[in-house]
DNA sequence: GCGACAG
DNA sequence: ATCTTGTCGC
């Protein structure tokens, strides 16, 4: 498939820019990013919602969103090319100077270590974390199920390299998959995800709120049709 | 041909 | 991701 090869070349080119160390002094504003999709007369549209919260008080600081027609189809491994352009437009509407972004999807846990969170992180040149609700198998490697206790985790090691981890964000609840995006390390990513996860959801608060906002806007757009 | 496949 | 109602359970 010609299109997919273009994406792979672009990912391989970006690969060498990934930063695996913390590049921040303090975290004040954290943004959660999520997209929702719907159709209008057979034309697919996407809504990107970004919700910024205060890392300590967890209060919502700002919400931004951007809707656009979809131009790129979804191909496993190439998700970022579909979602990053729309995310960047929504991000332009943000007034808050965000310290860290959390994406709904993988970062380093990707065939070329270039998932959504990493791709966006390199463009933003800011710290990002990828949090996926489902496992995206790389090189036929399975993950080890962590203990059913909040905070338990197992690193996902592929060919001797740590791609990310499976983290139990809530006791007795299906685990999530955490990986670095850019300008951050995995240990810190895990700590932050745990800090932002409570009994309301197994997903960290910023992305959970972004998910709710994106779907709220989608339902409104669908009833207007 | 069959199954897998972040969102 | 989305199409979709009720339903079992804390």
């Amino acid at each position: 498939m010609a299109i997919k090869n273009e994406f792979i070349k672009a990912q391989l080119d970006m690969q060498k820019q990934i930063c695996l160390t913390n590049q921040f002094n303090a975290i004040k504003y954290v943004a959660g990013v999520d997209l929702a999709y719907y159709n209008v007369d057979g034309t697919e549209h996407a809504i990107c919602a970004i919700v910024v919260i205060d890392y300590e008080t967890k209060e919502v600081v700002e919400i931004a969103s951007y809707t656009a027609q979809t131009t790129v189809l979804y191909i496993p491994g190439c998700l970022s090319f579909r979602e990053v352009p729309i995310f960047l437009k929504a991000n332009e509407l943000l007034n808050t100077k965000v310290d860290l972004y959390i994406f709904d999807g993988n970062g380093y846990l990707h065939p070329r270590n270039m998932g959504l969170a990493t791709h966006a992180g390199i463009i933003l040149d800011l710290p990002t974390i990828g949090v996926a609700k489902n496992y995206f198998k790389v090189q036929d490697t399975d993950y080890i199920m962590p203990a059913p206790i909040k905070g338990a985790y197992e690193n996902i090691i592929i060919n001797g390299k740590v791609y990310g981890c499976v983290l139990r964000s809530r006791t007795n609840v299906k685990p999530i998959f955490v990986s670095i995006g850019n300008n951050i390390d995995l240990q810190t990513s895990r700590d932050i995800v745990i800090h932002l996860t409570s009994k309301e959801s197994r997903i960290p608060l910023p992305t959970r709120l972004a998910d709710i906002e994106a779907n709220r806007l989608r339902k409104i757009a669908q009833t207007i049709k």
Side-chain angles (χ1 to χ4, degrees):
Chain A
M1 201 55 87
I3 292 178
K4 184 165 183 176
N5 288 328
E6 300 277 315
F7 294 156
I8 292 174
K9 286 177 189 170
Q11 287 176 331
L12 291 173
D13 191 51
M14 281 185 283
Q15 221 176 34
K16 44 186 174 285
Q17 300 175 51
I18 305 173
C19 171
L20 297 70
T21 58
N22 296 332
Q23 299 295 310
F24 52 79
N25 299 312
I27 301 171
K28 171 72 171 172
Y29 298 120
V30 182
V33 183
D34 189 38
L35 286 83
Y37 296 84
Y38 64 95
N39 292 296
V40 175
D41 303 325
T43 305
E44 185 181 53
H45 290 248
I47 300 173
C48 175
I50 305 176
V51 177
V52 183
I53 69 169
D54 182 297
Y55 187 69
E56 294 304 332
T57 69
K58 297 182 175 60
E59 290 178 345
V60 175
V61 172
E62 186 181 0
I63 296 178
S65 65
Y66 185 83
T67 302
Q69 268 192 26
T70 288
T71 56
V72 181
L73 61 153
Y74 170 67
I75 298 172
C78 301
L79 173 67
S80 64
F81 294 92
R82 174 173 165 83
E83 305 202 328
V84 166
I86 302 170
F87 155 67
L88 291 174
K89 297 291 284 184
N91 194 51
E92 285 178 15
L93 304 175
L94 224 47
N95 296 305
T96 307
K97 185 180 176 302
V98 177
D99 298 305
L100 166 77
Y101 288 81
I102 299 179
F103 288 83
D104 199 333
N106 297 310
Y108 202 78
L109 175 50
H110 175 279
R112 286 168 293 280
N113 307 122
M114 279 300 307
L116 173 61
T118 308
H119 188 148
I122 287 174
I123 292 175
L124 294 168
D125 191 28
L126 288 173
T128 61
I129 297 173
V131 176
K133 296 182 289 296
N134 294 94
Y135 184 53
F136 186 27
K137 187 184 272 189
V138 174
Q139 288 177 43
D140 203 41
T141 303
D142 288 307
Y143 64 87
I144 298 170
M145 187 59 82
I149 301 165
K150 175 167 182 169
Y153 72 92
E154 291 289 346
N155 281 333
I156 296 170
I157 302 170
I158 301 171
N159 285 329
K161 191 165 72 175
V162 179
Y163 275 54
C165 68
V166 206
L167 174 66
R168 191 75 72 166
S169 55
R170 288 186 58 192
T171 297
N172 291 324
V173 174
K174 183 182 176 188
I176 55 180
F177 303 84
V178 178
S179 59
I180 67 162
N182 189 45
N183 292 359
I184 196 168
D185 64 52
L186 185 57
Q187 155 84 63
T188 304
S189 300
R190 236 177 33 229
D191 291 345
I192 290 172
V193 169
I194 286 297
H195 175 83
L196 295 172
T197 305
S198 62
K199 56 188 173 228
E200 282 73 62
S201 171
R202 72 190 174 104
I203 301 304
L205 187 58
T207 32
R208 175 63 186 138
L209 295 178
D211 177 272
I212 291 171
E213 175 64 6
N215 280 295
R216 184 182 72 79
L217 295 173
R218 175 174 62 81
K219 286 169 187 171
I220 292 174
Q222 288 178 316
T223 51
I224 292 178
K225 72 177 180 182

